[in-house]
Amino acid sequence: MIFPRFIMQKALCDVLDFYYMGEVEPIGQRETTINDNRGNELPIVNFRLKLETPVKDELYSYFTND
């Protein structure tokens, strides 16, 4: 199953820019939990996604460097 698009925002950034990253295919998943701001445990699913087209080097550097 191919998803039509994947949009990413740089974490811990004050700017609200979003970037179109391309189509993705889910290649794995795992069920886990996170805690909400009250300490309650919430079930979630983490997905591992494969981009159909590699990300350009300069955009990858932007997301992975502080």
Side-chain angles (χ1 to χ4, degrees):
M1 171 188 294
I2 302 292
F3 290 92
R5 63 184 160 271
F6 179 67
I7 298 175
M8 185 170 181
Q9 180 182 16
K10 187 171 182 176
L12 303 173
C13 184
D14 293 335
V15 180
L16 296 177
D17 290 339
F18 290 87
Y19 297 86
Y20 175 73
M21 304 301 287
E23 295 184 351
V24 295
E25 176 182 0
I27 58 172
Q29 67 183 38
R30 73 180 175 97
E31 293 182 21
T32 187
T33 59
I34 60 170
N35 291 328
D36 66 12
N37 49 359
R38 293 187 206 157
N40 299 316
E41 201 169 78
L42 303 172
I44 63 166
V45 177
N46 287 334
F47 288 94
R48 185 172 175 94
L49 304 172
K50 178 182 176 187
L51 286 166
E52 290 296 309
T53 305
V55 175
K56 293 181 181 177
D57 289 340
E58 54 275 359
L59 190 56
Y60 179 81
S61 291
Y62 171 73
F63 282 112
T64 58
N65 295 322
D66 293 332

